Amino acid sequence: MTVSLPLVFVLGVIAWAAIKFLGVRLWVAVVMFGFWLSHTFLAPAIESGTRSGVGVVNGTHE
């Protein structure tokens, strides 16, 4: 599935509006937005950043 950057921007605005006006919790919006972003060109960067963050928290980061 190819998603263009403007669509990602629109989905980000929807996530922000859900937090601001609908009272959706931040973590729910982050998880949903993460699923949307996993289908974009940003997926490898997100995976790498997540793995690095987990490595730092676990103390296995070199």
Side-chain angles (χ1 to χ4, degrees), residues 17-59:
I19 293 169
K20 182 82 171 168
F21 301 111
L22 298 177
V24 173
R25 293 183 186 256
L26 178 63
W27 71 269
V28 174
V30 168
V31 168
M32 290 185 67
F33 195 62
F35 281 120
W36 289 328
L37 286 179
S38 69
H39 296 290
T40 67
F41 65 93
L42 296 173
I46 293 169
E47 181 181 0
S48 173
T50 302
R51 288 187 188 276
S52 296
V54 169
V56 168
V57 170
N58 289 337

PDB file of all heavy atoms in Angstrom, residues 17-59:
ATOM      1  N   ALA A  17      -6.977  15.974  16.170  1.00  0.00           N
ATOM      2  CA  ALA A  17      -8.347  16.407  16.454  1.00  0.00           C
ATOM      3  C   ALA A  17      -9.048  15.415  17.381  1.00  0.00           C
ATOM      4  O   ALA A  17      -9.822  15.823  18.254  1.00  0.00           O
ATOM      5  CB  ALA A  17      -9.135  16.581  15.158  1.00  0.00           C
ATOM      6  N   ALA A  18      -8.777  14.129  17.204  1.00  0.00           N
ATOM      7  CA  ALA A  18      -9.389  13.122  18.082  1.00  0.00           C
ATOM      8  C   ALA A  18      -8.924  13.311  19.515  1.00  0.00           C
ATOM      9  O   ALA A  18      -9.707  13.177  20.457  1.00  0.00           O
ATOM     10  CB  ALA A  18      -9.050  11.719  17.582  1.00  0.00           C
ATOM     11  N   ILE A  19      -7.647  13.648  19.695  1.00  0.00           N
ATOM     12  CA  ILE A  19      -7.131  13.890  21.047  1.00  0.00           C
ATOM     13  C   ILE A  19      -7.737  15.162  21.621  1.00  0.00           C
ATOM     14  O   ILE A  19      -8.191  15.192  22.762  1.00  0.00           O
ATOM     15  CB  ILE A  19      -5.595  13.988  21.028  1.00  0.00           C
ATOM     16  CG1 ILE A  19      -4.982  12.644  20.659  1.00  0.00           C
ATOM     17  CG2 ILE A  19      -5.061  14.466  22.378  1.00  0.00           C
ATOM     18  CD1 ILE A  19      -3.504  12.715  20.358  1.00  0.00           C
ATOM     19  N   LYS A  20      -7.735  16.202  20.820  1.00  0.00           N
ATOM     20  CA  LYS A  20      -8.154  17.525  21.292  1.00  0.00           C
ATOM     21  C   LYS A  20      -9.656  17.604  21.555  1.00  0.00           C
ATOM     22  O   LYS A  20     -10.081  18.105  22.588  1.00  0.00           O
ATOM     23  CB  LYS A  20      -7.741  18.565  20.239  1.00  0.00           C
ATOM     24  CG  LYS A  20      -8.066  19.978  20.590  1.00  0.00           C
ATOM     25  CD  LYS A  20      -7.031  20.554  21.494  1.00  0.00           C
ATOM     26  CE  LYS A  20      -7.284  22.036  21.638  1.00  0.00           C
ATOM     27  NZ  LYS A  20      -6.507  22.612  22.688  1.00  0.00           N
ATOM     28  N   PHE A  21     -10.469  17.111  20.623  1.00  0.00           N
ATOM     29  CA  PHE A  21     -11.905  17.353  20.698  1.00  0.00           C
ATOM     30  C   PHE A  21     -12.743  16.147  21.109  1.00  0.00           C
ATOM     31  O   PHE A  21     -13.841  16.315  21.626  1.00  0.00           O
ATOM     32  CB  PHE A  21     -12.415  17.881  19.353  1.00  0.00           C
ATOM     33  CG  PHE A  21     -11.746  19.163  18.939  1.00  0.00           C
ATOM     34  CD1 PHE A  21     -10.883  19.205  17.871  1.00  0.00           C
ATOM     35  CD2 PHE A  21     -11.969  20.340  19.646  1.00  0.00           C
ATOM     36  CE1 PHE A  21     -10.262  20.378  17.487  1.00  0.00           C
ATOM     37  CE2 PHE A  21     -11.357  21.518  19.284  1.00  0.00           C
ATOM     38  CZ  PHE A  21     -10.493  21.546  18.212  1.00  0.00           C
ATOM     39  N   LEU A  22     -12.241  14.945  20.891  1.00  0.00           N
ATOM     40  CA  LEU A  22     -13.017  13.759  21.226  1.00  0.00           C
ATOM     41  C   LEU A  22     -12.567  13.106  22.528  1.00  0.00           C
ATOM     42  O   LEU A  22     -13.188  12.161  22.984  1.00  0.00           O
ATOM     43  CB  LEU A  22     -12.945  12.738  20.087  1.00  0.00           C
ATOM     44  CG  LEU A  22     -13.509  13.193  18.747  1.00  0.00           C
ATOM     45  CD1 LEU A  22     -13.306  12.108  17.699  1.00  0.00           C
ATOM     46  CD2 LEU A  22     -14.985  13.532  18.877  1.00  0.00           C
ATOM     47  N   GLY A  23     -11.472  13.581  23.084  1.00  0.00           N
ATOM     48  CA  GLY A  23     -10.994  13.043  24.354  1.00  0.00           C
ATOM     49  C   GLY A  23     -10.311  11.691  24.235  1.00  0.00           C
ATOM     50  O   GLY A  23     -10.225  10.952  25.204  1.00  0.00           O
ATOM     51  N   VAL A  24      -9.817  11.363  23.036  1.00  0.00           N
ATOM     52  CA  VAL A  24      -9.088  10.107  22.850  1.00  0.00           C
ATOM     53  C   VAL A  24      -7.761  10.222  23.589  1.00  0.00           C
ATOM     54  O   VAL A  24      -7.102  11.251  23.546  1.00  0.00           O
ATOM     55  CB  VAL A  24      -8.863   9.843  21.342  1.00  0.00           C
ATOM     56  CG1 VAL A  24      -7.974   8.641  21.126  1.00  0.00           C
ATOM     57  CG2 VAL A  24     -10.186   9.669  20.640  1.00  0.00           C
ATOM     58  N   ARG A  25      -7.390   9.171  24.273  1.00  0.00           N
ATOM     59  CA  ARG A  25      -6.122   9.194  25.005  1.00  0.00           C
ATOM     60  C   ARG A  25      -4.949   9.240  24.033  1.00  0.00           C
ATOM     61  O   ARG A  25      -5.022   8.717  22.927  1.00  0.00           O
ATOM     62  CB  ARG A  25      -6.006   7.970  25.898  1.00  0.00           C
ATOM     63  CG  ARG A  25      -7.011   7.996  27.016  1.00  0.00           C
ATOM     64  CD  ARG A  25      -6.798   6.793  27.899  1.00  0.00           C
ATOM     65  NE  ARG A  25      -7.826   6.724  28.899  1.00  0.00           N
ATOM     66  CZ  ARG A  25      -7.635   7.061  30.169  1.00  0.00           C
ATOM     67  NH1 ARG A  25      -6.458   7.466  30.562  1.00  0.00           N
ATOM     68  NH2 ARG A  25      -8.622   6.985  31.025  1.00  0.00           N
ATOM     69  N   LEU A  26      -3.867   9.843  24.469  1.00  0.00           N
ATOM     70  CA  LEU A  26      -2.694  10.031  23.622  1.00  0.00           C
ATOM     71  C   LEU A  26      -2.138   8.705  23.134  1.00  0.00           C
ATOM     72  O   LEU A  26      -1.819   8.552  21.957  1.00  0.00           O
ATOM     73  CB  LEU A  26      -1.617  10.819  24.369  1.00  0.00           C
ATOM     74  CG  LEU A  26      -0.319  11.050  23.604  1.00  0.00           C
ATOM     75  CD1 LEU A  26      -0.586  11.887  22.367  1.00  0.00           C
ATOM     76  CD2 LEU A  26       0.703  11.707  24.490  1.00  0.00           C
ATOM     77  N   TRP A  27      -2.028   7.713  24.006  1.00  0.00           N
ATOM     78  CA  TRP A  27      -1.428   6.451  23.606  1.00  0.00           C
ATOM     79  C   TRP A  27      -2.256   5.743  22.546  1.00  0.00           C
ATOM     80  O   TRP A  27      -1.715   5.069  21.675  1.00  0.00           O
ATOM     81  CB  TRP A  27      -1.160   5.546  24.807  1.00  0.00           C
ATOM     82  CG  TRP A  27      -2.378   4.964  25.462  1.00  0.00           C
ATOM     83  CD1 TRP A  27      -3.088   5.505  26.494  1.00  0.00           C
ATOM     84  CD2 TRP A  27      -3.024   3.739  25.127  1.00  0.00           C
ATOM     85  NE1 TRP A  27      -4.137   4.689  26.815  1.00  0.00           N
ATOM     86  CE2 TRP A  27      -4.112   3.595  25.994  1.00  0.00           C
ATOM     87  CE3 TRP A  27      -2.788   2.754  24.187  1.00  0.00           C
ATOM     88  CZ2 TRP A  27      -4.977   2.499  25.941  1.00  0.00           C
ATOM     89  CZ3 TRP A  27      -3.644   1.664  24.135  1.00  0.00           C
ATOM     90  CH2 TRP A  27      -4.717   1.540  25.007  1.00  0.00           C
ATOM     91  N   VAL A  28      -3.576   5.894  22.593  1.00  0.00           N
ATOM     92  CA  VAL A  28      -4.438   5.288  21.581  1.00  0.00           C
ATOM     93  C   VAL A  28      -4.181   5.943  20.227  1.00  0.00           C
ATOM     94  O   VAL A  28      -4.044   5.258  19.202  1.00  0.00           O
ATOM     95  CB  VAL A  28      -5.929   5.407  21.968  1.00  0.00           C
ATOM     96  CG1 VAL A  28      -6.824   4.922  20.847  1.00  0.00           C
ATOM     97  CG2 VAL A  28      -6.214   4.650  23.253  1.00  0.00           C
ATOM     98  N   ALA A  29      -4.083   7.264  20.217  1.00  0.00           N
ATOM     99  CA  ALA A  29      -3.816   7.976  18.967  1.00  0.00           C
ATOM    100  C   ALA A  29      -2.433   7.630  18.423  1.00  0.00           C
ATOM    101  O   ALA A  29      -2.261   7.468  17.213  1.00  0.00           O
ATOM    102  CB  ALA A  29      -3.951   9.481  19.184  1.00  0.00           C
ATOM    103  N   VAL A  30      -1.442   7.491  19.299  1.00  0.00           N
ATOM    104  CA  VAL A  30      -0.090   7.142  18.859  1.00  0.00           C
ATOM    105  C   VAL A  30      -0.078   5.751  18.230  1.00  0.00           C
ATOM    106  O   VAL A  30       0.527   5.543  17.176  1.00  0.00           O
ATOM    107  CB  VAL A  30       0.913   7.231  20.040  1.00  0.00           C
ATOM    108  CG1 VAL A  30       2.239   6.594  19.689  1.00  0.00           C
ATOM    109  CG2 VAL A  30       1.089   8.668  20.469  1.00  0.00           C
ATOM    110  N   VAL A  31      -0.766   4.810  18.846  1.00  0.00           N
ATOM    111  CA  VAL A  31      -0.811   3.450  18.293  1.00  0.00           C
ATOM    112  C   VAL A  31      -1.507   3.447  16.944  1.00  0.00           C
ATOM    113  O   VAL A  31      -1.014   2.862  15.974  1.00  0.00           O
ATOM    114  CB  VAL A  31      -1.509   2.487  19.277  1.00  0.00           C
ATOM    115  CG1 VAL A  31      -1.830   1.157  18.614  1.00  0.00           C
ATOM    116  CG2 VAL A  31      -0.650   2.274  20.507  1.00  0.00           C
ATOM    117  N   MET A  32      -2.646   4.125  16.841  1.00  0.00           N
ATOM    118  CA  MET A  32      -3.373   4.155  15.573  1.00  0.00           C
ATOM    119  C   MET A  32      -2.563   4.866  14.489  1.00  0.00           C
ATOM    120  O   MET A  32      -2.484   4.396  13.346  1.00  0.00           O
ATOM    121  CB  MET A  32      -4.727   4.819  15.746  1.00  0.00           C
ATOM    122  CG  MET A  32      -5.696   3.989  16.556  1.00  0.00           C
ATOM    123  SD  MET A  32      -7.321   4.698  16.639  1.00  0.00           S
ATOM    124  CE  MET A  32      -7.824   4.561  14.943  1.00  0.00           C
ATOM    125  N   PHE A  33      -1.946   5.995  14.835  1.00  0.00           N
ATOM    126  CA  PHE A  33      -1.139   6.729  13.873  1.00  0.00           C
ATOM    127  C   PHE A  33       0.077   5.900  13.471  1.00  0.00           C
ATOM    128  O   PHE A  33       0.510   5.932  12.322  1.00  0.00           O
ATOM    129  CB  PHE A  33      -0.727   8.081  14.441  1.00  0.00           C
ATOM    130  CG  PHE A  33      -0.198   9.041  13.422  1.00  0.00           C
ATOM    131  CD1 PHE A  33      -0.999   9.471  12.385  1.00  0.00           C
ATOM    132  CD2 PHE A  33       1.093   9.509  13.497  1.00  0.00           C
ATOM    133  CE1 PHE A  33      -0.513  10.355  11.430  1.00  0.00           C
ATOM    134  CE2 PHE A  33       1.584  10.403  12.560  1.00  0.00           C
ATOM    135  CZ  PHE A  33       0.777  10.816  11.524  1.00  0.00           C
ATOM    136  N   GLY A  34       0.619   5.122  14.400  1.00  0.00           N
ATOM    137  CA  GLY A  34       1.738   4.235  14.094  1.00  0.00           C
ATOM    138  C   GLY A  34       1.361   3.178  13.075  1.00  0.00           C
ATOM    139  O   GLY A  34       2.139   2.850  12.176  1.00  0.00           O
ATOM    140  N   PHE A  35       0.150   2.637  13.204  1.00  0.00           N
ATOM    141  CA  PHE A  35      -0.306   1.668  12.210  1.00  0.00           C
ATOM    142  C   PHE A  35      -0.435   2.321  10.843  1.00  0.00           C
ATOM    143  O   PHE A  35      -0.105   1.715   9.819  1.00  0.00           O
ATOM    144  CB  PHE A  35      -1.646   1.039  12.619  1.00  0.00           C
ATOM    145  CG  PHE A  35      -1.502  -0.030  13.653  1.00  0.00           C
ATOM    146  CD1 PHE A  35      -2.122   0.097  14.879  1.00  0.00           C
ATOM    147  CD2 PHE A  35      -0.755  -1.172  13.404  1.00  0.00           C
ATOM    148  CE1 PHE A  35      -2.006  -0.891  15.841  1.00  0.00           C
ATOM    149  CE2 PHE A  35      -0.623  -2.165  14.360  1.00  0.00           C
ATOM    150  CZ  PHE A  35      -1.249  -2.024  15.588  1.00  0.00           C
ATOM    151  N   TRP A  36      -0.913   3.538  10.811  1.00  0.00           N
ATOM    152  CA  TRP A  36      -1.017   4.246   9.530  1.00  0.00           C
ATOM    153  C   TRP A  36       0.376   4.486   8.943  1.00  0.00           C
ATOM    154  O   TRP A  36       0.601   4.292   7.755  1.00  0.00           O
ATOM    155  CB  TRP A  36      -1.725   5.585   9.684  1.00  0.00           C
ATOM    156  CG  TRP A  36      -3.191   5.483   9.966  1.00  0.00           C
ATOM    157  CD1 TRP A  36      -4.044   4.518   9.527  1.00  0.00           C
ATOM    158  CD2 TRP A  36      -3.975   6.380  10.733  1.00  0.00           C
ATOM    159  NE1 TRP A  36      -5.303   4.771   9.987  1.00  0.00           N
ATOM    160  CE2 TRP A  36      -5.295   5.903  10.728  1.00  0.00           C
ATOM    161  CE3 TRP A  36      -3.690   7.547  11.433  1.00  0.00           C
ATOM    162  CZ2 TRP A  36      -6.331   6.548  11.387  1.00  0.00           C
ATOM    163  CZ3 TRP A  36      -4.716   8.190  12.085  1.00  0.00           C
ATOM    164  CH2 TRP A  36      -6.020   7.693  12.070  1.00  0.00           C
ATOM    165  N   LEU A  37       1.306   4.929   9.785  1.00  0.00           N
ATOM    166  CA  LEU A  37       2.655   5.227   9.304  1.00  0.00           C
ATOM    167  C   LEU A  37       3.426   3.981   8.887  1.00  0.00           C
ATOM    168  O   LEU A  37       4.355   4.067   8.103  1.00  0.00           O
ATOM    169  CB  LEU A  37       3.446   5.984  10.368  1.00  0.00           C
ATOM    170  CG  LEU A  37       3.065   7.438  10.582  1.00  0.00           C
ATOM    171  CD1 LEU A  37       3.922   8.027  11.694  1.00  0.00           C
ATOM    172  CD2 LEU A  37       3.224   8.243   9.320  1.00  0.00           C
ATOM    173  N   SER A  38       3.038   2.820   9.401  1.00  0.00           N
ATOM    174  CA  SER A  38       3.763   1.597   9.053  1.00  0.00           C
ATOM    175  C   SER A  38       3.597   1.227   7.588  1.00  0.00           C
ATOM    176  O   SER A  38       4.338   0.388   7.080  1.00  0.00           O
ATOM    177  CB  SER A  38       3.295   0.441   9.937  1.00  0.00           C
ATOM    178  OG  SER A  38       1.973   0.070   9.613  1.00  0.00           O
ATOM    179  N   HIS A  39       2.669   1.850   6.903  1.00  0.00           N
ATOM    180  CA  HIS A  39       2.452   1.579   5.483  1.00  0.00           C
ATOM    181  C   HIS A  39       3.060   2.666   4.596  1.00  0.00           C
ATOM    182  O   HIS A  39       2.722   2.752   3.425  1.00  0.00           O
ATOM    183  CB  HIS A  39       0.955   1.461   5.184  1.00  0.00           C
ATOM    184  CG  HIS A  39       0.317   0.306   5.869  1.00  0.00           C
ATOM    185  ND1 HIS A  39       0.567  -0.989   5.519  1.00  0.00           N
ATOM    186  CD2 HIS A  39      -0.549   0.252   6.904  1.00  0.00           C
ATOM    187  CE1 HIS A  39      -0.125  -1.799   6.296  1.00  0.00           C
ATOM    188  NE2 HIS A  39      -0.796  -1.073   7.153  1.00  0.00           N
ATOM    189  N   THR A  40       3.926   3.476   5.146  1.00  0.00           N
ATOM    190  CA  THR A  40       4.544   4.547   4.374  1.00  0.00           C
ATOM    191  C   THR A  40       6.037   4.288   4.226  1.00  0.00           C
ATOM    192  O   THR A  40       6.572   3.311   4.747  1.00  0.00           O
ATOM    193  CB  THR A  40       4.350   5.916   5.066  1.00  0.00           C
ATOM    194  OG1 THR A  40       5.083   5.932   6.284  1.00  0.00           O
ATOM    195  CG2 THR A  40       2.878   6.210   5.324  1.00  0.00           C
ATOM    196  N   PHE A  41       6.702   5.201   3.567  1.00  0.00           N
ATOM    197  CA  PHE A  41       8.150   5.106   3.403  1.00  0.00           C
ATOM    198  C   PHE A  41       8.888   5.322   4.719  1.00  0.00           C
ATOM    199  O   PHE A  41      10.099   5.076   4.802  1.00  0.00           O
ATOM    200  CB  PHE A  41       8.627   6.127   2.362  1.00  0.00           C
ATOM    201  CG  PHE A  41       8.436   7.555   2.782  1.00  0.00           C
ATOM    202  CD1 PHE A  41       9.439   8.246   3.412  1.00  0.00           C
ATOM    203  CD2 PHE A  41       7.222   8.202   2.542  1.00  0.00           C
ATOM    204  CE1 PHE A  41       9.261   9.572   3.814  1.00  0.00           C
ATOM    205  CE2 PHE A  41       7.037   9.514   2.939  1.00  0.00           C
ATOM    206  CZ  PHE A  41       8.056  10.201   3.568  1.00  0.00           C
ATOM    207  N   LEU A  42       8.206   5.753   5.765  1.00  0.00           N
ATOM    208  CA  LEU A  42       8.840   5.990   7.065  1.00  0.00           C
ATOM    209  C   LEU A  42       8.978   4.723   7.904  1.00  0.00           C
ATOM    210  O   LEU A  42       9.605   4.749   8.955  1.00  0.00           O
ATOM    211  CB  LEU A  42       8.017   7.017   7.850  1.00  0.00           C
ATOM    212  CG  LEU A  42       7.943   8.416   7.254  1.00  0.00           C
ATOM    213  CD1 LEU A  42       6.959   9.268   8.039  1.00  0.00           C
ATOM    214  CD2 LEU A  42       9.301   9.053   7.250  1.00  0.00           C
ATOM    215  N   ALA A  43       8.417   3.611   7.457  1.00  0.00           N
ATOM    216  CA  ALA A  43       8.420   2.378   8.239  1.00  0.00           C
ATOM    217  C   ALA A  43       9.821   1.916   8.655  1.00  0.00           C
ATOM    218  O   ALA A  43      10.024   1.583   9.823  1.00  0.00           O
ATOM    219  CB  ALA A  43       7.684   1.279   7.486  1.00  0.00           C
ATOM    220  N   PRO A  44      10.811   1.876   7.754  1.00  0.00           N
ATOM    221  CA  PRO A  44      12.152   1.439   8.194  1.00  0.00           C
ATOM    222  C   PRO A  44      12.755   2.355   9.261  1.00  0.00           C
ATOM    223  O   PRO A  44      13.394   1.886  10.202  1.00  0.00           O
ATOM    224  CB  PRO A  44      12.987   1.478   6.915  1.00  0.00           C
ATOM    225  CG  PRO A  44      12.006   1.368   5.809  1.00  0.00           C
ATOM    226  CD  PRO A  44      10.770   2.066   6.311  1.00  0.00           C
ATOM    227  N   ALA A  45      12.542   3.650   9.134  1.00  0.00           N
ATOM    228  CA  ALA A  45      13.077   4.580  10.134  1.00  0.00           C
ATOM    229  C   ALA A  45      12.384   4.405  11.472  1.00  0.00           C
ATOM    230  O   ALA A  45      13.019   4.478  12.528  1.00  0.00           O
ATOM    231  CB  ALA A  45      12.922   6.017   9.643  1.00  0.00           C
ATOM    232  N   ILE A  46      11.087   4.162  11.445  1.00  0.00           N
ATOM    233  CA  ILE A  46      10.335   3.949  12.687  1.00  0.00           C
ATOM    234  C   ILE A  46      10.813   2.671  13.368  1.00  0.00           C
ATOM    235  O   ILE A  46      11.040   2.641  14.582  1.00  0.00           O
ATOM    236  CB  ILE A  46       8.825   3.906  12.405  1.00  0.00           C
ATOM    237  CG1 ILE A  46       8.336   5.271  11.935  1.00  0.00           C
ATOM    238  CG2 ILE A  46       8.059   3.447  13.641  1.00  0.00           C
ATOM    239  CD1 ILE A  46       6.924   5.266  11.394  1.00  0.00           C
ATOM    240  N   GLU A  47      10.985   1.608  12.586  1.00  0.00           N
ATOM    241  CA  GLU A  47      11.445   0.340  13.161  1.00  0.00           C
ATOM    242  C   GLU A  47      12.840   0.479  13.761  1.00  0.00           C
ATOM    243  O   GLU A  47      13.101   0.016  14.877  1.00  0.00           O
ATOM    244  CB  GLU A  47      11.450  -0.760  12.105  1.00  0.00           C
ATOM    245  CG  GLU A  47      11.890  -2.089  12.665  1.00  0.00           C
ATOM    246  CD  GLU A  47      11.925  -3.190  11.630  1.00  0.00           C
ATOM    247  OE1 GLU A  47      11.600  -2.927  10.460  1.00  0.00           O
ATOM    248  OE2 GLU A  47      12.292  -4.306  12.019  1.00  0.00           O
ATOM    249  N   SER A  48      13.733   1.145  13.048  1.00  0.00           N
ATOM    250  CA  SER A  48      15.094   1.340  13.540  1.00  0.00           C
ATOM    251  C   SER A  48      15.102   2.171  14.819  1.00  0.00           C
ATOM    252  O   SER A  48      15.802   1.841  15.783  1.00  0.00           O
ATOM    253  CB  SER A  48      15.926   2.027  12.464  1.00  0.00           C
ATOM    254  OG  SER A  48      17.184   2.371  12.963  1.00  0.00           O
ATOM    255  N   GLY A  49      14.319   3.240  14.837  1.00  0.00           N
ATOM    256  CA  GLY A  49      14.243   4.086  16.034  1.00  0.00           C
ATOM    257  C   GLY A  49      13.661   3.361  17.224  1.00  0.00           C
ATOM    258  O   GLY A  49      14.130   3.507  18.354  1.00  0.00           O
ATOM    259  N   THR A  50      12.662   2.544  16.967  1.00  0.00           N
ATOM    260  CA  THR A  50      12.043   1.773  18.045  1.00  0.00           C
ATOM    261  C   THR A  50      13.031   0.763  18.610  1.00  0.00           C
ATOM    262  O   THR A  50      13.163   0.614  19.825  1.00  0.00           O
ATOM    263  CB  THR A  50      10.788   1.050  17.538  1.00  0.00           C
ATOM    264  OG1 THR A  50       9.893   2.021  17.028  1.00  0.00           O
ATOM    265  CG2 THR A  50      10.114   0.281  18.648  1.00  0.00           C
ATOM    266  N   ARG A  51      13.740   0.068  17.729  1.00  0.00           N
ATOM    267  CA  ARG A  51      14.727  -0.910  18.191  1.00  0.00           C
ATOM    268  C   ARG A  51      15.850  -0.233  18.987  1.00  0.00           C
ATOM    269  O   ARG A  51      16.282  -0.749  20.013  1.00  0.00           O
ATOM    270  CB  ARG A  51      15.314  -1.678  17.018  1.00  0.00           C
ATOM    271  CG  ARG A  51      14.344  -2.656  16.418  1.00  0.00           C
ATOM    272  CD  ARG A  51      15.025  -3.521  15.353  1.00  0.00           C
ATOM    273  NE  ARG A  51      14.061  -4.337  14.656  1.00  0.00           N
ATOM    274  CZ  ARG A  51      13.613  -5.508  15.094  1.00  0.00           C
ATOM    275  NH1 ARG A  51      14.047  -5.973  16.250  1.00  0.00           N
ATOM    276  NH2 ARG A  51      12.737  -6.196  14.403  1.00  0.00           N
ATOM    277  N   SER A  52      16.284   0.928  18.545  1.00  0.00           N
ATOM    278  CA  SER A  52      17.325   1.652  19.278  1.00  0.00           C
ATOM    279  C   SER A  52      16.823   2.103  20.638  1.00  0.00           C
ATOM    280  O   SER A  52      17.542   1.995  21.641  1.00  0.00           O
ATOM    281  CB  SER A  52      17.782   2.866  18.483  1.00  0.00           C
ATOM    282  OG  SER A  52      18.391   2.470  17.286  1.00  0.00           O
ATOM    283  N   GLY A  53      15.596   2.599  20.684  1.00  0.00           N
ATOM    284  CA  GLY A  53      15.017   3.037  21.956  1.00  0.00           C
ATOM    285  C   GLY A  53      14.871   1.893  22.942  1.00  0.00           C
ATOM    286  O   GLY A  53      15.184   2.032  24.129  1.00  0.00           O
ATOM    287  N   VAL A  54      14.426   0.744  22.459  1.00  0.00           N
ATOM    288  CA  VAL A  54      14.291  -0.427  23.331  1.00  0.00           C
ATOM    289  C   VAL A  54      15.664  -0.885  23.798  1.00  0.00           C
ATOM    290  O   VAL A  54      15.840  -1.261  24.962  1.00  0.00           O
ATOM    291  CB  VAL A  54      13.546  -1.568  22.589  1.00  0.00           C
ATOM    292  CG1 VAL A  54      13.629  -2.872  23.358  1.00  0.00           C
ATOM    293  CG2 VAL A  54      12.094  -1.178  22.360  1.00  0.00           C
ATOM    294  N   GLY A  55      16.649  -0.808  22.911  1.00  0.00           N
ATOM    295  CA  GLY A  55      18.009  -1.181  23.300  1.00  0.00           C
ATOM    296  C   GLY A  55      18.566  -0.279  24.386  1.00  0.00           C
ATOM    297  O   GLY A  55      19.216  -0.745  25.321  1.00  0.00           O
ATOM    298  N   VAL A  56      18.282   1.011  24.300  1.00  0.00           N
ATOM    299  CA  VAL A  56      18.743   1.952  25.320  1.00  0.00           C
ATOM    300  C   VAL A  56      18.058   1.673  26.660  1.00  0.00           C
ATOM    301  O   VAL A  56      18.696   1.635  27.713  1.00  0.00           O
ATOM    302  CB  VAL A  56      18.482   3.414  24.869  1.00  0.00           C
ATOM    303  CG1 VAL A  56      18.675   4.382  26.020  1.00  0.00           C
ATOM    304  CG2 VAL A  56      19.394   3.758  23.711  1.00  0.00           C
ATOM    305  N   VAL A  57      16.761   1.434  26.617  1.00  0.00           N
ATOM    306  CA  VAL A  57      16.018   1.152  27.855  1.00  0.00           C
ATOM    307  C   VAL A  57      16.496  -0.145  28.498  1.00  0.00           C
ATOM    308  O   VAL A  57      16.653  -0.233  29.712  1.00  0.00           O
ATOM    309  CB  VAL A  57      14.501   1.100  27.564  1.00  0.00           C
ATOM    310  CG1 VAL A  57      13.730   0.564  28.756  1.00  0.00           C
ATOM    311  CG2 VAL A  57      13.989   2.475  27.175  1.00  0.00           C
ATOM    312  N   ASN A  58      16.750  -1.163  27.680  1.00  0.00           N
ATOM    313  CA  ASN A  58      17.203  -2.452  28.210  1.00  0.00           C
ATOM    314  C   ASN A  58      18.677  -2.485  28.552  1.00  0.00           C
ATOM    315  O   ASN A  58      19.154  -3.450  29.133  1.00  0.00           O
ATOM    316  CB  ASN A  58      16.901  -3.571  27.200  1.00  0.00           C
ATOM    317  CG  ASN A  58      15.423  -3.862  27.110  1.00  0.00           C
ATOM    318  OD1 ASN A  58      14.672  -3.578  28.035  1.00  0.00           O
ATOM    319  ND2 ASN A  58      15.001  -4.418  25.991  1.00  0.00           N
ATOM    320  N   GLY A  59      19.417  -1.457  28.175  1.00  0.00           N
ATOM    321  CA  GLY A  59      20.835  -1.406  28.470  1.00  0.00           C
ATOM    322  C   GLY A  59      21.695  -2.229  27.520  1.00  0.00           C
ATOM    323  O   GLY A  59      22.835  -2.523  27.818  1.00  0.00           O
TER     324      GLY A  59
END
